[in-house]
């Protein structure tokens, strides 16, 4: 039998209970009729890819959003049924993103029965004033309750999303966060620094009242504090913003950073298949219309040249604390990385931003703060 190619699947659920002030992800406030319609089109989109899926073995699945836990679990079940028509790896990683107030015990139990084995919950902060200021609809108490539900049902693979550089946030808040993390003890943590996106309410707040936001120095100080404390708590920082207990790195996220094959379904979802990159439309009407005509709902696609793929591999790989895998690079491109980027490596190594070993090249502690400077130089 022909060997199947490994693939990861991303399913975008563009619904939330309400919109947070900082977020510009593709999502709208939940509407039952729209969810029903969207699910049926998602299933159609999956079936349009049946040829590729039949030739593949699914390694990981990620329900992201939006807030997948905000919709009725019957829709997640319908989508999983569609996916299970294809060959899924023996021990897949199947993640679902959720919010504290919709990750109920009953829902989580159903997710478990569907084979979902990793829960990623958005907590963002444990400070009520901060949660309110960024438009979160949950309280700290609900983070703790949902965490208990997740753990009591035996989800060992459990991620918490948290944020830095939020309004009113001080180093002392992070000390409190560390105590909560110790208590909850998730196996994975993503700590993102706030990006102030155009058109969001937080941008307006920032323009009006900049002094309630930490400045860049304070942001870096908080980031270093978090890295140090999480490391002391046995979390390995395996990517700039991601920390995991041993063996709990996200296989799905690693497939993005290592530029493996992944296929995204639903609004705004991106795919990477071989040399091709493509992204779906972000508009419901366009999505439905294209699928009504049996067309892929793609709004942008490109085929990368070898030079572009090399740069992409370097930029993604450098974010990993293990660094860029030089052997993998030479297997993929038949080029010696150290030779190809000779000048760039020398410059950043001399400046203390890069470390170089026989088989890997990575960012130093200072390099992680200035990763943009290194990344730009990897674009040739
Ligand atoms: C798209 S959300 C989905 C998860 C879920 N809906 C939630 O809100 O918890 C994924 C994560 O991205 C992060 N995020 C969203 N907008 C961000 C921004 N503007 N800056 C930094 N992180 C952001 C948050 O930590 C969030 O949990
Ligand atoms: S952060 Fe999560 S819950 Fe908030 S609007 Fe974005 S996707 Fe929705």
């Amino acid at each position: 039998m022909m060997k199947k190619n490994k693939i990861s699947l991303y399913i975008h659920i563009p619904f939330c209970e309400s919109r947070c002030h900082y977020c510009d992800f593709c999502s709208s406030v939940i509407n039952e009729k729209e969810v029903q319609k969207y699910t049926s089109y998602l299933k159609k989109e999956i079936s349009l890819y049946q040829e590729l899926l039949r030739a593949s073995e699914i390694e990981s699945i990620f329900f992201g959003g939006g807030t997948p836990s905000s919709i009725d679990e019957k829709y997640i079940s319908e989508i999983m049924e569609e996916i299970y028509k294809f060959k899924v790896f023996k021990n897949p990683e199947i993640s679902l993103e959720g919010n504290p107030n919709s990750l109920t015990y009953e829902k989580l139990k159903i997710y478990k029965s569907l084979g979902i084995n990793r829960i990623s919950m958005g907590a963002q902060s444990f400070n009520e004033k901060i949660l309110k200021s960024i438009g979160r609809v949950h309280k700290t108490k609900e983070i703790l309750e949902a965490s208990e539900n997740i753990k009591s049902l035996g989800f060992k693979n459990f991620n918490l999303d948290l944020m830095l550089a939020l309004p009113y946030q001080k180093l002392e808040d992070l000390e409190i966060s560390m105590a909560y993390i110790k208590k909850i003890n998730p196996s994975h943590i993503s700590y993102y620094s706030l990006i102030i996106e155009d058109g969001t309410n937080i941008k307006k707040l920032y323009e009006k009242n900049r002094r309630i936001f930490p400045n860049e120095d304070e942001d870096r100080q908080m980031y270093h504090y978090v890295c140090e404390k999480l490391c002391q708590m046995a979390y390995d920082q395996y990517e700039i913003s991601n920390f995991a207990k041993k063996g709990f790195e996200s296989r799905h996220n690693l497939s993005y950073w290592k530029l493996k094959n992944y296929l995204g379904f639903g609004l705004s979802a991106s795919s990477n298949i071989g040399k091709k990159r493509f992204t779906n439309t972000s508009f419901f009407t366009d999505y439905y219309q294209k699928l009504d005509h049996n067309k892929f709902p793609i709004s942008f696609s490109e085929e990368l040249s070898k030079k572009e793929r090399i740069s992409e591999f370097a930029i993604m790989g450098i974010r990993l604390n293990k660094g860029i895998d030089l052997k993998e690079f030479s297997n993929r491109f038949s080029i010696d990385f150290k030779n190809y980027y000779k000048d760039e490596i020398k410059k950043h190594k001399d400046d203390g931003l890069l470390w170089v070993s026989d088989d890997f090249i990575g960012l130093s502690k200072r390099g992680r703060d200035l990763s943009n400077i290194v990344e730009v130089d990897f674009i040739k």
Side-chain angles (χ1 to χ4, degrees):
M1 211 170 75
M2 217 173 73
K3 200 166 176 289
K4 291 180 187 278
N5 294 319
K6 288 181 184 163
I7 198 166
S8 295
L9 306 186
Y10 173 80
I11 324 278
H12 191 72
I13 307 293
F15 302 102
C16 294
E17 289 124 45
S18 71
R19 298 282 298 150
C20 306
H21 298 338
Y22 53 85
C23 182
D24 82 336
F25 279 78
C26 173
S27 184
S28 52
V29 174
I30 192 162
N31 161 328
E32 179 62 24
K33 249 189 164 156
E34 191 77 65
V35 178
Q36 196 175 12
K37 183 170 179 186
Y38 182 75
T39 307
S40 66
Y41 278 82
L42 254 182
K43 292 195 290 184
K44 177 154 188 192
E45 190 190 358
I46 295 171
S47 71
L48 278 188
Y49 281 99
Q50 56 181 292
E51 205 178 308
L52 174 63
L53 289 170
R54 278 209 197 103
S56 311
E57 190 170 19
I58 300 165
E59 230 193 336
S60 68
I61 303 167
F62 193 102
F63 285 88
T67 308
S69 66
S70 68
I71 66 172
D72 195 294
E73 53 278 18
K74 71 177 179 214
Y75 300 116
I76 304 290
S77 166
E78 280 182 37
I79 300 163
M80 282 304 295
E81 210 174 296
E82 202 59 35
I83 296 175
Y84 279 138
K85 289 181 182 162
F86 303 99
K87 181 150 178 49
V88 178
F89 209 60
K90 239 200 318 273
N91 174 26
E93 179 186 278
I94 310 182
S95 309
L96 181 135
E97 274 186 332
N99 275 2
N101 38 359
S102 50
L103 282 169
T104 60
Y105 188 86
E106 290 68 34
K107 265 194 180 167
L108 285 159
K109 212 162 138 186
I110 293 169
Y111 296 155
K112 196 151 198 225
S113 72
L114 296 174
I116 291 167
N117 52 22
R118 183 172 184 273
I119 300 294
S120 175
M121 179 166 77
Q124 321 310 352
S125 167
F126 296 99
N127 177 311
E128 306 293 356
K129 184 176 174 188
I130 295 176
L131 287 172
K132 196 156 174 244
S133 77
I134 59 172
R136 296 294 288 182
V137 287
H138 60 83
K139 302 229 180 292
T140 304
K141 189 169 145 265
E142 284 155 332
I143 302 175
L144 298 175
E145 283 166 5
S147 299
E148 268 319 301
N149 292 337
I150 294 165
K151 288 195 297 182
S152 66
L153 279 161
F155 287 99
K156 292 199 170 58
N157 224 328
F158 167 26
N159 170 58
L160 270 191
D161 277 348
L162 289 154
M163 288 169 84
L164 289 171
L166 296 172
Y168 306 110
Q169 201 172 35
K170 299 262 173 291
L171 208 53
E172 299 85 77
D173 289 303
L174 294 175
E175 283 171 22
I176 296 170
S177 299
M178 292 304 133
Y180 277 113
I181 290 170
K182 213 171 207 167
K183 186 174 152 93
I184 297 172
N185 195 25
S187 54
H188 190 287
I189 293 170
S190 300
Y191 239 119
Y192 301 112
S193 277
L194 172 70
I195 300 169
I196 300 179
E197 306 278 5
D198 284 342
T200 56
N201 284 344
I202 211 125
K203 173 120 188 185
K204 287 186 206 132
L205 182 66
Y206 182 72
E207 279 162 358
K208 222 170 69 189
N209 205 355
R210 194 168 289 213
R211 65 184 177 78
I212 64 169
F213 288 80
N215 62 32
E216 213 170 298
D217 283 346
E218 287 165 330
D219 171 35
R220 286 300 88 188
Q221 203 187 355
M222 287 184 191
Y223 175 69
H224 292 150
Y225 174 82
V226 162
C227 295
E228 194 187 313
K229 288 289 162 192
L230 292 181
C231 172
Q232 286 167 9
M233 285 154 74
Y235 290 94
D236 177 36
Q237 182 182 11
Y238 70 107
E239 196 261 355
I240 290 184
S241 309
N242 285 278
F243 305 81
K245 292 266 173 79
K246 201 171 177 334
F248 288 98
E249 294 86 3
S250 161
R251 274 154 57 191
H252 189 84
N253 286 348
L254 281 167
S255 78
Y256 295 157
W257 298 321
K258 292 191 167 178
L259 291 182
K260 303 260 174 87
N261 281 346
Y262 55 85
L263 198 49
F265 300 103
L267 289 193
S268 77
S270 293
S271 303
N272 174 45
I273 302 292
K275 296 176 190 168
K276 293 208 177 91
R277 311 273 179 280
F278 44 98
T279 305
N280 279 353
T281 173
S282 297
F283 301 101
F284 283 108
T285 43
D286 193 22
Y287 183 69
Y288 298 149
Q289 254 169 28
K290 287 197 165 100
L291 286 167
D292 277 338
H293 291 94
N294 290 324
K295 286 195 181 133
F296 293 115
I298 294 169
S299 63
F300 172 78
S301 72
E302 61 180 345
E303 189 162 323
L304 297 192
S305 64
K306 186 171 177 182
K307 211 165 129 187
E308 288 167 324
R309 281 186 292 128
I310 288 175
S311 299
E312 208 183 15
F313 189 93
I315 290 171
M316 296 303 247
I318 203 74
R319 295 184 62 88
L320 297 171
N321 280 27
K322 205 171 155 199
I324 296 165
D325 186 333
L326 304 182
K327 278 200 184 123
E328 203 178 324
F329 182 89
S330 89
N331 286 341
R332 218 183 245 222
F333 300 109
S334 307
I335 287 178
D336 180 63
F337 188 89
K338 285 184 181 167
N339 197 24
Y340 187 78
Y341 282 118
K342 196 162 66 213
D343 299 337
E344 293 79 4
I345 294 169
K346 182 173 177 345
K347 175 177 152 197
H348 294 306
K349 192 170 171 250
D350 289 350
D351 287 345
L353 303 186
L354 284 182
W355 54 260
V356 179
S357 73
D358 286 349
D359 297 330
F360 289 90
I361 290 185
L363 291 171
S364 64
K365 192 172 169 221
R366 205 166 86 81
R368 261 180 246 151
D369 288 339
L370 302 169
S371 59
N372 292 352
I373 299 177
V374 181
E375 286 170 16
V376 164
D377 276 349
F378 280 147
I379 304 169
K380 282 221 205 190

